[in-house]
mmCIF file of all heavy atoms in Angstrom:
data_model
loop_
_atom_site.group_PDB
_atom_site.id
_atom_site.type_symbol
_atom_site.label_atom_id
_atom_site.label_comp_id
_atom_site.label_asym_id
_atom_site.label_seq_id
_atom_site.Cartn_x
_atom_site.Cartn_y
_atom_site.Cartn_z
ATOM 1 N N MET O 1 0.836 -1.199 0.000
ATOM 2 C CA MET O 1 0.000 0.000 0.000
ATOM 3 C C MET O 1 0.871 1.249 0.000
ATOM 4 O O MET O 1 1.888 1.287 0.675
ATOM 5 C CB MET O 1 -0.901 0.018 1.237
ATOM 6 C CG MET O 1 -1.837 -1.189 1.332
ATOM 7 S SD MET O 1 -3.078 -1.216 0.049
ATOM 8 C CE MET O 1 -4.278 -0.072 0.718
ATOM 9 N N ALA O 2 0.463 2.249 -0.717
ATOM 10 C CA ALA O 2 1.219 3.490 -0.788
ATOM 11 C C ALA O 2 1.079 4.294 0.506
ATOM 12 O O ALA O 2 0.174 4.052 1.289
ATOM 13 C CB ALA O 2 0.714 4.329 -1.954
ATOM 14 N N TYR O 3 2.000 5.236 0.684
ATOM 15 C CA TYR O 3 1.881 6.160 1.803
ATOM 16 C C TYR O 3 0.822 7.203 1.468
ATOM 17 O O TYR O 3 0.568 7.496 0.295
ATOM 18 C CB TYR O 3 3.218 6.846 2.056
ATOM 19 C CG TYR O 3 4.149 6.052 2.961
ATOM 20 C CD1 TYR O 3 4.567 4.772 2.584
ATOM 21 C CD2 TYR O 3 4.591 6.571 4.166
ATOM 22 C CE1 TYR O 3 5.408 4.034 3.415
ATOM 23 C CE2 TYR O 3 5.436 5.836 5.001
ATOM 24 C CZ TYR O 3 5.842 4.572 4.619
ATOM 25 O OH TYR O 3 6.667 3.846 5.444
ATOM 26 N N ILE O 4 0.210 7.744 2.517
ATOM 27 C CA ILE O 4 -0.759 8.822 2.335
ATOM 28 C C ILE O 4 -0.396 9.970 3.280
ATOM 29 O O ILE O 4 0.213 9.755 4.323
ATOM 30 C CB ILE O 4 -2.210 8.376 2.625
ATOM 31 C CG1 ILE O 4 -2.310 7.737 4.015
ATOM 32 C CG2 ILE O 4 -2.687 7.398 1.568
ATOM 33 C CD1 ILE O 4 -3.741 7.474 4.443
ATOM 34 N N ILE O 5 -0.765 11.189 2.904
ATOM 35 C CA ILE O 5 -0.489 12.372 3.714
ATOM 36 C C ILE O 5 -1.789 12.841 4.363
ATOM 37 O O ILE O 5 -2.782 13.067 3.686
ATOM 38 C CB ILE O 5 0.128 13.485 2.847
ATOM 39 C CG1 ILE O 5 1.525 13.047 2.361
ATOM 40 C CG2 ILE O 5 0.220 14.804 3.619
ATOM 41 C CD1 ILE O 5 2.181 13.998 1.376
ATOM 42 N N SER O 6 -1.744 12.982 5.681
ATOM 43 C CA SER O 6 -2.951 13.368 6.420
ATOM 44 C C SER O 6 -3.189 14.878 6.332
ATOM 45 O O SER O 6 -2.349 15.637 5.840
ATOM 46 C CB SER O 6 -2.821 12.970 7.894
ATOM 47 O OG SER O 6 -1.965 13.883 8.564
ATOM 48 N N ASP O 7 -4.317 15.310 6.887
ATOM 49 C CA ASP O 7 -4.664 16.727 6.900
ATOM 50 C C ASP O 7 -3.767 17.538 7.820
ATOM 51 O O ASP O 7 -3.873 18.764 7.867
ATOM 52 C CB ASP O 7 -6.131 16.904 7.316
ATOM 53 C CG ASP O 7 -7.093 16.402 6.253
ATOM 54 O OD1 ASP O 7 -6.667 16.230 5.101
ATOM 55 O OD2 ASP O 7 -8.284 16.191 6.571
ATOM 56 N N ASP O 8 -2.887 16.867 8.566
ATOM 57 C CA ASP O 8 -1.943 17.582 9.418
ATOM 58 C C ASP O 8 -0.888 18.315 8.600
ATOM 59 O O ASP O 8 -0.164 19.164 9.112
ATOM 60 C CB ASP O 8 -1.237 16.616 10.373
ATOM 61 C CG ASP O 8 -2.177 16.048 11.428
ATOM 62 O OD1 ASP O 8 -3.232 16.658 11.677
ATOM 63 O OD2 ASP O 8 -1.840 14.993 11.998
ATOM 64 N N CYS O 9 -0.762 17.986 7.336
ATOM 65 C CA CYS O 9 0.246 18.584 6.445
ATOM 66 C C CYS O 9 0.181 20.110 6.453
ATOM 67 O O CYS O 9 -0.894 20.687 6.337
ATOM 68 C CB CYS O 9 0.023 18.072 5.026
ATOM 69 S SG CYS O 9 1.088 18.848 3.792
ATOM 70 N N ILE O 10 1.354 20.744 6.593
ATOM 71 C CA ILE O 10 1.421 22.206 6.584
ATOM 72 C C ILE O 10 2.060 22.724 5.291
ATOM 73 O O ILE O 10 2.494 23.871 5.205
ATOM 74 C CB ILE O 10 2.204 22.733 7.814
ATOM 75 C CG1 ILE O 10 3.605 22.110 7.887
ATOM 76 C CG2 ILE O 10 1.431 22.443 9.101
ATOM 77 C CD1 ILE O 10 4.507 22.713 8.972
ATOM 78 N N SER O 11 2.138 21.848 4.291
ATOM 79 C CA SER O 11 2.624 22.220 2.953
ATOM 80 C C SER O 11 4.016 22.840 2.960
ATOM 81 O O SER O 11 4.275 23.813 2.261
ATOM 82 C CB SER O 11 1.633 23.180 2.272
ATOM 83 O OG SER O 11 0.392 22.532 2.050
ATOM 84 N N CYS O 12 4.922 22.238 3.738
ATOM 85 C CA CYS O 12 6.285 22.779 3.787
ATOM 86 C C CYS O 12 7.118 22.335 2.586
ATOM 87 O O CYS O 12 8.116 22.960 2.245
ATOM 88 C CB CYS O 12 6.967 22.352 5.074
ATOM 89 S SG CYS O 12 7.416 20.605 5.137
ATOM 90 N N GLY O 13 6.738 21.232 1.973
ATOM 91 C CA GLY O 13 7.442 20.755 0.790
ATOM 92 C C GLY O 13 8.641 19.861 1.031
ATOM 93 O O GLY O 13 9.255 19.373 0.082
ATOM 94 N N ALA O 14 8.993 19.626 2.283
ATOM 95 C CA ALA O 14 10.181 18.818 2.598
ATOM 96 C C ALA O 14 10.075 17.403 2.038
ATOM 97 O O ALA O 14 11.047 16.846 1.525
ATOM 98 C CB ALA O 14 10.390 18.775 4.107
ATOM 99 N N CYS O 15 8.923 16.822 2.117
ATOM 100 C CA CYS O 15 8.750 15.435 1.658
ATOM 101 C C CYS O 15 8.940 15.328 0.143
ATOM 102 O O CYS O 15 9.568 14.387 -0.339
ATOM 103 C CB CYS O 15 7.379 14.924 2.051
ATOM 104 S SG CYS O 15 6.006 15.932 1.444
ATOM 105 N N ALA O 16 8.403 16.284 -0.585
ATOM 106 C CA ALA O 16 8.511 16.231 -2.046
ATOM 107 C C ALA O 16 9.969 16.265 -2.479
ATOM 108 O O ALA O 16 10.366 15.594 -3.436
ATOM 109 C CB ALA O 16 7.737 17.394 -2.672
ATOM 110 N N ALA O 17 10.794 17.018 -1.750
ATOM 111 C CA ALA O 17 12.211 17.128 -2.082
ATOM 112 C C ALA O 17 12.948 15.822 -1.814
ATOM 113 O O ALA O 17 13.957 15.530 -2.456
ATOM 114 C CB ALA O 17 12.842 18.259 -1.281
ATOM 115 N N GLU O 18 12.463 15.017 -0.881
ATOM 116 C CA GLU O 18 13.133 13.773 -0.500
ATOM 117 C C GLU O 18 12.647 12.544 -1.271
ATOM 118 O O GLU O 18 13.328 11.522 -1.315
ATOM 119 C CB GLU O 18 12.926 13.510 0.992
ATOM 120 C CG GLU O 18 13.667 14.478 1.898
ATOM 121 C CD GLU O 18 15.177 14.378 1.723
ATOM 122 O OE1 GLU O 18 15.706 13.271 1.588
ATOM 123 O OE2 GLU O 18 15.831 15.438 1.693
ATOM 124 N N CYS O 19 11.491 12.612 -1.859
ATOM 125 C CA CYS O 19 10.935 11.423 -2.528
ATOM 126 C C CYS O 19 11.779 11.017 -3.738
ATOM 127 O O CYS O 19 11.960 11.804 -4.663
ATOM 128 C CB CYS O 19 9.501 11.693 -2.968
ATOM 129 S SG CYS O 19 8.742 10.247 -3.749
ATOM 130 N N PRO O 20 12.301 9.784 -3.751
ATOM 131 C CA PRO O 20 13.198 9.329 -4.819
ATOM 132 C C PRO O 20 12.508 9.106 -6.161
ATOM 133 O O PRO O 20 13.175 9.015 -7.192
ATOM 134 C CB PRO O 20 13.767 8.014 -4.263
ATOM 135 C CG PRO O 20 12.683 7.506 -3.373
ATOM 136 C CD PRO O 20 12.102 8.747 -2.721
ATOM 137 N N VAL O 21 11.190 9.022 -6.130
ATOM 138 C CA VAL O 21 10.470 8.771 -7.384
ATOM 139 C C VAL O 21 9.508 9.908 -7.745
ATOM 140 O O VAL O 21 8.640 9.768 -8.605
ATOM 141 C CB VAL O 21 9.703 7.426 -7.316
ATOM 142 C CG1 VAL O 21 10.683 6.261 -7.264
ATOM 143 C CG2 VAL O 21 8.756 7.380 -6.124
ATOM 144 N N SER O 22 9.680 11.053 -7.069
ATOM 145 C CA SER O 22 8.864 12.239 -7.348
ATOM 146 C C SER O 22 7.365 11.950 -7.333
ATOM 147 O O SER O 22 6.631 12.400 -8.219
ATOM 148 C CB SER O 22 9.265 12.860 -8.693
ATOM 149 O OG SER O 22 10.624 13.245 -8.668
ATOM 150 N N ALA O 23 6.947 11.205 -6.312
ATOM 151 C CA ALA O 23 5.530 10.839 -6.213
ATOM 152 C C ALA O 23 4.691 11.893 -5.505
ATOM 153 O O ALA O 23 3.474 11.807 -5.483
ATOM 154 C CB ALA O 23 5.405 9.508 -5.466
ATOM 155 N N ILE O 24 5.361 12.906 -4.907
ATOM 156 C CA ILE O 24 4.650 13.879 -4.087
ATOM 157 C C ILE O 24 4.552 15.224 -4.786
ATOM 158 O O ILE O 24 5.526 15.739 -5.312
ATOM 159 C CB ILE O 24 5.361 14.061 -2.728
ATOM 160 C CG1 ILE O 24 5.580 12.697 -2.062
ATOM 161 C CG2 ILE O 24 4.546 14.982 -1.818
ATOM 162 C CD1 ILE O 24 6.401 12.761 -0.779
ATOM 163 N N SER O 25 3.341 15.784 -4.767
ATOM 164 C CA SER O 25 3.144 17.092 -5.384
ATOM 165 C C SER O 25 2.219 17.928 -4.498
ATOM 166 O O SER O 25 1.526 17.401 -3.623
ATOM 167 C CB SER O 25 2.535 16.942 -6.775
ATOM 168 O OG SER O 25 1.285 16.277 -6.688
ATOM 169 N N GLU O 26 2.225 19.239 -4.732
ATOM 170 C CA GLU O 26 1.395 20.124 -3.931
ATOM 171 C C GLU O 26 -0.049 20.019 -4.396
ATOM 172 O O GLU O 26 -0.349 20.178 -5.579
ATOM 173 C CB GLU O 26 1.888 21.571 -4.059
ATOM 174 C CG GLU O 26 1.175 22.504 -3.088
ATOM 175 C CD GLU O 26 1.863 23.865 -2.987
ATOM 176 O OE1 GLU O 26 2.758 24.145 -3.801
ATOM 177 O OE2 GLU O 26 1.490 24.632 -2.077
ATOM 178 N N GLY O 27 -0.926 19.742 -3.441
ATOM 179 C CA GLY O 27 -2.339 19.631 -3.774
ATOM 180 C C GLY O 27 -3.135 20.788 -3.212
ATOM 181 O O GLY O 27 -2.565 21.828 -2.897
ATOM 182 N N ASP O 28 -4.402 20.602 -3.038
ATOM 183 C CA ASP O 28 -5.286 21.643 -2.555
ATOM 184 C C ASP O 28 -5.266 21.678 -1.027
ATOM 185 O O ASP O 28 -5.957 20.919 -0.376
ATOM 186 C CB ASP O 28 -6.706 21.380 -3.067
ATOM 187 C CG ASP O 28 -7.677 22.490 -2.700
ATOM 188 O OD1 ASP O 28 -7.207 23.588 -2.327
ATOM 189 O OD2 ASP O 28 -8.892 22.271 -2.785
ATOM 190 N N GLY O 29 -4.430 22.553 -0.465
ATOM 191 C CA GLY O 29 -4.356 22.689 0.978
ATOM 192 C C GLY O 29 -3.363 21.773 1.662
ATOM 193 O O GLY O 29 -3.065 21.948 2.834
ATOM 194 N N LYS O 30 -2.860 20.785 0.954
ATOM 195 C CA LYS O 30 -1.840 19.897 1.510
ATOM 196 C C LYS O 30 -1.128 19.210 0.358
ATOM 197 O O LYS O 30 -1.574 19.279 -0.780
ATOM 198 C CB LYS O 30 -2.458 18.854 2.447
ATOM 199 C CG LYS O 30 -3.375 17.851 1.736
ATOM 200 C CD LYS O 30 -3.825 16.753 2.706
ATOM 201 C CE LYS O 30 -4.615 15.672 1.974
ATOM 202 N NZ LYS O 30 -4.951 14.536 2.846
ATOM 203 N N TYR O 31 -0.012 18.548 0.684
ATOM 204 C CA TYR O 31 0.686 17.799 -0.351
ATOM 205 C C TYR O 31 0.050 16.417 -0.495
ATOM 206 O O TYR O 31 -0.557 15.900 0.447
ATOM 207 C CB TYR O 31 2.176 17.680 0.007
ATOM 208 C CG TYR O 31 2.987 18.871 -0.493
ATOM 209 C CD1 TYR O 31 2.641 20.153 -0.103
ATOM 210 C CD2 TYR O 31 4.063 18.706 -1.349
ATOM 211 C CE1 TYR O 31 3.357 21.257 -0.561
ATOM 212 C CE2 TYR O 31 4.791 19.797 -1.806
ATOM 213 C CZ TYR O 31 4.431 21.073 -1.406
ATOM 214 O OH TYR O 31 5.131 22.157 -1.868
ATOM 215 N N VAL O 32 0.183 15.858 -1.679
ATOM 216 C CA VAL O 32 -0.454 14.566 -1.946
ATOM 217 C C VAL O 32 0.541 13.599 -2.578
ATOM 218 O O VAL O 32 1.484 13.999 -3.269
ATOM 219 C CB VAL O 32 -1.686 14.720 -2.863
ATOM 220 C CG1 VAL O 32 -2.797 15.473 -2.157
ATOM 221 C CG2 VAL O 32 -1.312 15.409 -4.164
ATOM 222 N N ILE O 33 0.337 12.313 -2.342
ATOM 223 C CA ILE O 33 1.193 11.254 -2.878
ATOM 224 C C ILE O 33 0.446 10.489 -3.961
ATOM 225 O O ILE O 33 -0.686 10.059 -3.752
ATOM 226 C CB ILE O 33 1.611 10.277 -1.757
ATOM 227 C CG1 ILE O 33 2.480 11.004 -0.724
ATOM 228 C CG2 ILE O 33 2.348 9.063 -2.335
ATOM 229 C CD1 ILE O 33 2.786 10.179 0.526
ATOM 230 N N ASP O 34 1.100 10.323 -5.109
ATOM 231 C CA ASP O 34 0.513 9.510 -6.169
ATOM 232 C C ASP O 34 0.722 8.041 -5.816
ATOM 233 O O ASP O 34 1.851 7.549 -5.786
ATOM 234 C CB ASP O 34 1.167 9.831 -7.513
ATOM 235 C CG ASP O 34 0.564 8.992 -8.625
ATOM 236 O OD1 ASP O 34 -0.632 9.151 -8.909
ATOM 237 O OD2 ASP O 34 1.286 8.152 -9.198
ATOM 238 N N ALA O 35 -0.355 7.356 -5.519
ATOM 239 C CA ALA O 35 -0.288 5.976 -5.029
ATOM 240 C C ALA O 35 0.353 5.018 -6.031
ATOM 241 O O ALA O 35 0.988 4.035 -5.649
ATOM 242 C CB ALA O 35 -1.684 5.497 -4.660
ATOM 243 N N ASP O 36 0.194 5.288 -7.301
ATOM 244 C CA ASP O 36 0.746 4.389 -8.319
ATOM 245 C C ASP O 36 2.253 4.558 -8.487
ATOM 246 O O ASP O 36 2.930 3.691 -9.029
ATOM 247 C CB ASP O 36 0.054 4.634 -9.669
ATOM 248 C CG ASP O 36 -1.415 4.227 -9.634
ATOM 249 O OD1 ASP O 36 -1.749 3.299 -8.872
ATOM 250 O OD2 ASP O 36 -2.208 4.838 -10.361
ATOM 251 N N THR O 37 2.784 5.698 -8.017
ATOM 252 C CA THR O 37 4.212 5.989 -8.162
ATOM 253 C C THR O 37 4.998 5.658 -6.892
ATOM 254 O O THR O 37 6.147 5.227 -6.963
ATOM 255 C CB THR O 37 4.409 7.481 -8.508
ATOM 256 O OG1 THR O 37 3.618 7.801 -9.660
ATOM 257 C CG2 THR O 37 5.876 7.775 -8.811
ATOM 258 N N CYS O 38 4.387 5.823 -5.735
ATOM 259 C CA CYS O 38 5.054 5.591 -4.440
ATOM 260 C C CYS O 38 5.610 4.170 -4.335
ATOM 261 O O CYS O 38 4.927 3.210 -4.642
ATOM 262 C CB CYS O 38 4.048 5.838 -3.318
ATOM 263 S SG CYS O 38 4.673 5.476 -1.660
ATOM 264 N N VAL O 39 6.889 4.085 -3.883
ATOM 265 C CA VAL O 39 7.523 2.777 -3.702
ATOM 266 C C VAL O 39 7.670 2.429 -2.209
ATOM 267 O O VAL O 39 8.419 1.525 -1.840
ATOM 268 C CB VAL O 39 8.891 2.714 -4.408
ATOM 269 C CG1 VAL O 39 8.713 2.812 -5.913
ATOM 270 C CG2 VAL O 39 9.837 3.792 -3.912
ATOM 271 N N GLU O 40 6.952 3.178 -1.367
ATOM 272 C CA GLU O 40 6.883 2.872 0.070
ATOM 273 C C GLU O 40 8.235 2.871 0.766
ATOM 274 O O GLU O 40 8.509 2.023 1.614
ATOM 275 C CB GLU O 40 6.202 1.518 0.281
ATOM 276 C CG GLU O 40 4.809 1.451 -0.340
ATOM 277 C CD GLU O 40 4.289 0.027 -0.425
ATOM 278 O OE1 GLU O 40 4.299 -0.646 0.605
ATOM 279 O OE2 GLU O 40 3.882 -0.396 -1.523
ATOM 280 N N CYS O 41 9.093 3.824 0.416
ATOM 281 C CA CYS O 41 10.423 3.863 1.034
ATOM 282 C C CYS O 41 10.402 4.492 2.427
ATOM 283 O O CYS O 41 11.297 4.268 3.227
ATOM 284 C CB CYS O 41 11.381 4.637 0.138
ATOM 285 S SG CYS O 41 11.038 6.408 0.070
ATOM 286 N N GLY O 42 9.394 5.320 2.692
ATOM 287 C CA GLY O 42 9.285 5.941 4.005
ATOM 288 C C GLY O 42 10.061 7.233 4.183
ATOM 289 O O GLY O 42 10.030 7.818 5.272
ATOM 290 N N ALA O 43 10.752 7.690 3.156
ATOM 291 C CA ALA O 43 11.563 8.906 3.269
ATOM 292 C C ALA O 43 10.715 10.122 3.635
ATOM 293 O O ALA O 43 11.138 10.972 4.433
ATOM 294 C CB ALA O 43 12.313 9.161 1.967
ATOM 295 N N CYS O 44 9.526 10.207 3.082
ATOM 296 C CA CYS O 44 8.653 11.348 3.356
ATOM 297 C C CYS O 44 8.284 11.408 4.836
ATOM 298 O O CYS O 44 8.326 12.465 5.450
ATOM 299 C CB CYS O 44 7.402 11.293 2.487
ATOM 300 S SG CYS O 44 6.529 9.716 2.521
ATOM 301 N N ALA O 45 7.970 10.261 5.400
ATOM 302 C CA ALA O 45 7.604 10.215 6.809
ATOM 303 C C ALA O 45 8.792 10.618 7.684
ATOM 304 O O ALA O 45 8.623 11.244 8.729
ATOM 305 C CB ALA O 45 7.129 8.817 7.177
ATOM 306 N N GLY O 46 10.004 10.294 7.227
ATOM 307 C CA GLY O 46 11.194 10.589 8.002
ATOM 308 C C GLY O 46 11.532 12.064 8.082
ATOM 309 O O GLY O 46 12.163 12.496 9.044
ATOM 310 N N VAL O 47 11.153 12.832 7.091
ATOM 311 C CA VAL O 47 11.504 14.257 7.086
ATOM 312 C C VAL O 47 10.356 15.178 7.479
ATOM 313 O O VAL O 47 10.568 16.354 7.739
ATOM 314 C CB VAL O 47 12.035 14.703 5.700
ATOM 315 C CG1 VAL O 47 13.313 13.935 5.355
ATOM 316 C CG2 VAL O 47 10.981 14.549 4.625
ATOM 317 N N CYS O 48 9.159 14.667 7.527
ATOM 318 C CA CYS O 48 7.999 15.531 7.807
ATOM 319 C C CYS O 48 8.010 16.044 9.249
ATOM 320 O O CYS O 48 8.083 15.255 10.188
ATOM 321 C CB CYS O 48 6.706 14.778 7.547
ATOM 322 S SG CYS O 48 5.240 15.799 7.862
ATOM 323 N N PRO O 49 7.907 17.371 9.442
ATOM 324 C CA PRO O 49 7.933 17.948 10.794
ATOM 325 C C PRO O 49 6.665 17.665 11.603
ATOM 326 O O PRO O 49 6.675 17.820 12.822
ATOM 327 C CB PRO O 49 8.112 19.440 10.532
ATOM 328 C CG PRO O 49 7.487 19.655 9.193
ATOM 329 C CD PRO O 49 7.823 18.412 8.406
ATOM 330 N N VAL O 50 5.595 17.266 10.940
ATOM 331 C CA VAL O 50 4.346 17.024 11.663
ATOM 332 C C VAL O 50 3.845 15.575 11.511
ATOM 333 O O VAL O 50 2.697 15.263 11.814
ATOM 334 C CB VAL O 50 3.241 18.007 11.213
ATOM 335 C CG1 VAL O 50 3.620 19.435 11.591
ATOM 336 C CG2 VAL O 50 2.980 17.905 9.709
ATOM 337 N N SER O 51 4.733 14.704 11.017
ATOM 338 C CA SER O 51 4.383 13.281 10.871
ATOM 339 C C SER O 51 3.096 13.057 10.084
ATOM 340 O O SER O 51 2.281 12.188 10.452
ATOM 341 C CB SER O 51 4.268 12.607 12.237
ATOM 342 O OG SER O 51 5.480 12.722 12.947
ATOM 343 N N ALA O 52 2.926 13.817 9.019
ATOM 344 C CA ALA O 52 1.692 13.680 8.230
ATOM 345 C C ALA O 52 1.664 12.450 7.317
ATOM 346 O O ALA O 52 0.615 11.852 7.143
ATOM 347 C CB ALA O 52 1.470 14.949 7.406
ATOM 348 N N PRO O 53 2.803 12.037 6.722
ATOM 349 C CA PRO O 53 2.744 10.853 5.850
ATOM 350 C C PRO O 53 2.770 9.567 6.683
ATOM 351 O O PRO O 53 3.511 9.458 7.665
ATOM 352 C CB PRO O 53 4.033 10.952 5.019
ATOM 353 C CG PRO O 53 4.570 12.338 5.241
ATOM 354 C CD PRO O 53 4.119 12.696 6.626
ATOM 355 N N SER O 54 1.967 8.604 6.274
ATOM 356 C CA SER O 54 1.993 7.301 6.949
ATOM 357 C C SER O 54 1.588 6.231 5.954
ATOM 358 O O SER O 54 0.951 6.512 4.936
ATOM 359 C CB SER O 54 1.051 7.294 8.152
ATOM 360 O OG SER O 54 -0.291 7.492 7.727
ATOM 361 N N ALA O 55 1.953 4.994 6.269
ATOM 362 C CA ALA O 55 1.554 3.883 5.422
ATOM 363 C C ALA O 55 0.068 3.628 5.653
ATOM 364 O O ALA O 55 -0.408 3.713 6.778
ATOM 365 C CB ALA O 55 2.368 2.646 5.781
ATOM 366 N N GLU O 56 -0.654 3.322 4.628
ATOM 367 C CA GLU O 56 -2.098 3.106 4.740
ATOM 368 C C GLU O 56 -2.394 1.869 5.576
ATOM 369 O O GLU O 56 -1.636 0.921 5.558
ATOM 370 C CB GLU O 56 -2.721 2.951 3.353
ATOM 371 C CG GLU O 56 -2.948 4.278 2.677
ATOM 372 C CD GLU O 56 -3.670 4.096 1.322
ATOM 373 O OE1 GLU O 56 -3.272 3.200 0.555
ATOM 374 O OE2 GLU O 56 -4.586 4.857 1.066
HETATM 375 FE FE1 SF4 T 101 7.970 8.946 -2.051
HETATM 376 FE FE2 SF4 T 101 8.935 7.081 -0.436
HETATM 377 FE FE3 SF4 T 101 7.103 8.774 0.495
HETATM 378 FE FE4 SF4 T 101 6.408 6.923 -1.291
HETATM 379 S S1 SF4 T 101 7.121 6.545 0.837
HETATM 380 S S2 SF4 T 101 5.840 9.087 -1.348
HETATM 381 S S3 SF4 T 101 8.245 6.771 -2.545
HETATM 382 S S4 SF4 T 101 9.200 9.309 -0.171
HETATM 383 FE FE1 SF4 T 102 3.248 18.224 4.367
HETATM 384 FE FE2 SF4 T 102 4.947 16.899 5.925
HETATM 385 FE FE3 SF4 T 102 5.293 16.941 3.289
HETATM 386 FE FE4 SF4 T 102 5.756 19.127 4.706
HETATM 387 S S1 SF4 T 102 6.911 17.205 4.838
HETATM 388 S S2 SF4 T 102 4.622 19.016 2.759
HETATM 389 S S3 SF4 T 102 4.126 18.980 6.303
HETATM 390 S S4 SF4 T 102 3.556 16.022 4.428
#
């Protein structure tokens, strides 16, 4: 299962910069992960200041 970003996201962009497959983009009010692209590496969760990304 791909990672998902919760509503806790403050749109800092740190996760998008760390994603090795560029699966993260800025969405409406928060960043979003493309489930078909995510390889579940966990890098986004590791850099997020508010722990918004998590495995489904
Ligand atoms: Fe990108 Fe890895 Fe986060 Fe998936 S888990 S969105 S591949 S950084
Ligand atoms: Fe949102 Fe966390 Fe990504 Fe920053 S690192 S854009 S707060 S999910």
Side-chain angles (χ1 to χ4, degrees):
M1 300 293 279
Y3 274 60
I4 54 171
I5 293 174
S6 76
D7 291 343
D8 291 340
C9 174
I10 56 173
S11 296
C12 72
C15 56
E18 290 297 320
C19 182
V21 293
S22 300
I24 308 174
S25 59
E26 188 167 10
D28 185 16
K30 66 174 186 174
Y31 273 57
V32 293
I33 295 172
D34 180 64
D36 293 330
T37 306
C38 176
V39 294
E40 303 166 53
C41 70
C44 51
V47 298
C48 181
V50 295
S51 301
S54 63
E56 280 184 315

